Amino acid sequence: MSSIDTMTLLADSFIGIAERRPLEKVSVSDIVAASGKNRKTFYYHFEGKEHLVRWIFRRDLAEVLLDTVDEQHLVYEKGKEGAMPDLPFYVFKKTGVRSLDGSVFLHALAACFQSRRRYYAKALKVTGPESLQSYFRALYSPALEADIRFILSNRYLAETNVKFLAEFYTGALLAYLVEKVCDLTCENVLAQVKPFDNIVHSSLEYEIKAQQLRRVL
């Protein structure tokens, strides 16, 4: 069995258990028992259960992105500690000199969460420094920073402002998705979004343009 097959087996075993019980009550022992593997095999591939949760998210999202987005628009992680450089995690799609289309990524993200709705409803409720919510912020705040610098082009904005905008819009997007994904009575996570599915980037463009005009005037 290949490494990726083993990781997939462990992940699917975990998901199967997590859909039946509270996530925090699923142990590594439960996962290895359900998968037929042993703890040594689990820890060879994953640092712990939290790492497995992150990998499942990245795997699921990468599958959606690879199926729905042109390769030229896909963004991969650089080789930093904890990176998963083989799995695309974001979309960078230009629509103008200083304009980006974030709707493609939003729909891919929603499709990822919809694909395992009951599992992600539990995974996204967990909070804390090792949670999926924290990982989401750490992954996407820098991605939005890069988008903001593209929108700025050669215009000036203080680094503290760039970081504020990235963290603010990442947090707003996460809060909305957590609420909708965890509400299992809501059939479609993005049912209320149209025609504002590019709201993050259109809002960034508007605010940056307004700030630049204030500086000029």
Side-chain angles (χ1 to χ4, degrees):
M1 181 177 282
S2 69
S3 184
I4 190 66
D5 287 340
T6 300
M7 294 169 77
T8 298
L9 175 61
L10 291 165
D12 291 345
S13 299
F14 171 60
I15 292 166
I17 302 168
E19 288 180 338
R20 301 190 304 271
R21 320 178 188 166
L23 210 69
E24 60 273 15
K25 293 190 176 180
V26 182
S27 66
V28 172
S29 295
D30 294 328
I31 298 167
V32 298
S35 66
K37 298 296 180 179
N38 55 48
R39 293 177 70 88
K40 183 178 179 180
T41 299
F42 179 90
Y43 285 110
Y44 176 80
H45 294 288
F46 301 108
E47 297 170 5
K49 191 173 70 175
E50 296 79 8
H51 183 198
L52 174 57
V53 170
R54 295 195 295 271
W55 185 81
I56 291 169
F57 166 63
R58 291 293 304 277
R59 176 199 65 175
D60 290 349
L61 179 59
E63 287 179 357
V64 176
L65 290 172
L66 289 167
D67 281 346
T68 60
V69 181
D70 289 341
E71 177 68 30
Q72 62 180 320
H73 301 310
L74 294 178
V75 178
Y76 293 80
E77 280 186 285
K78 300 290 194 317
K80 61 183 181 182
E81 184 179 355
M84 302 179 200
D86 297 331
L87 299 174
F89 76 101
Y90 194 52
V91 176
F92 183 82
K93 185 176 181 181
K94 294 187 279 188
T95 57
V97 177
R98 290 172 172 166
S99 296
L100 295 170
D101 180 6
S103 65
V104 178
F105 171 67
L106 179 59
H107 283 279
L109 193 57
C112 166
F113 290 143
Q114 291 269 180
S115 68
R116 303 184 195 279
R117 187 69 180 279
R118 297 189 69 83
Y119 164 73
Y120 281 112
K122 293 183 178 183
L124 286 169
K125 281 183 181 176
V126 178
T127 58
E130 297 296 320
S131 67
L132 183 55
Q133 285 197 37
S134 291
Y135 178 70
F136 187 99
R137 290 190 186 90
L139 188 63
Y140 290 111
S141 284
L144 265 191
E145 282 188 35
D147 289 356
I148 292 165
R149 292 189 176 92
F150 171 81
I151 294 168
L152 279 166
S153 296
N154 295 320
R155 297 174 295 180
Y156 172 78
L157 188 65
E159 278 298 304
T160 53
N161 296 141
V162 172
K163 290 186 178 298
F164 162 73
L165 289 173
E167 290 173 5
F168 179 84
Y169 281 97
T170 300
L173 176 60
L174 176 61
Y176 183 82
L177 288 171
V178 168
E179 180 181 352
K180 295 302 177 184
V181 173
C182 294
D183 179 6
L184 295 180
T185 66
C186 173
E187 293 185 9
N188 183 350
V189 172
L190 298 184
Q192 299 173 328
V193 170
K194 284 280 189 182
F196 301 106
D197 47 3
N198 194 36
I199 190 167
V200 171
H201 289 83
S202 59
S203 296
L204 281 168
E205 289 169 27
Y206 174 84
E207 291 298 334
I208 288 171
K209 183 178 180 180
Q211 189 273 345
Q212 296 295 313
L213 284 173
R214 286 194 294 270
R215 289 185 71 240
V216 172
L217 296 175

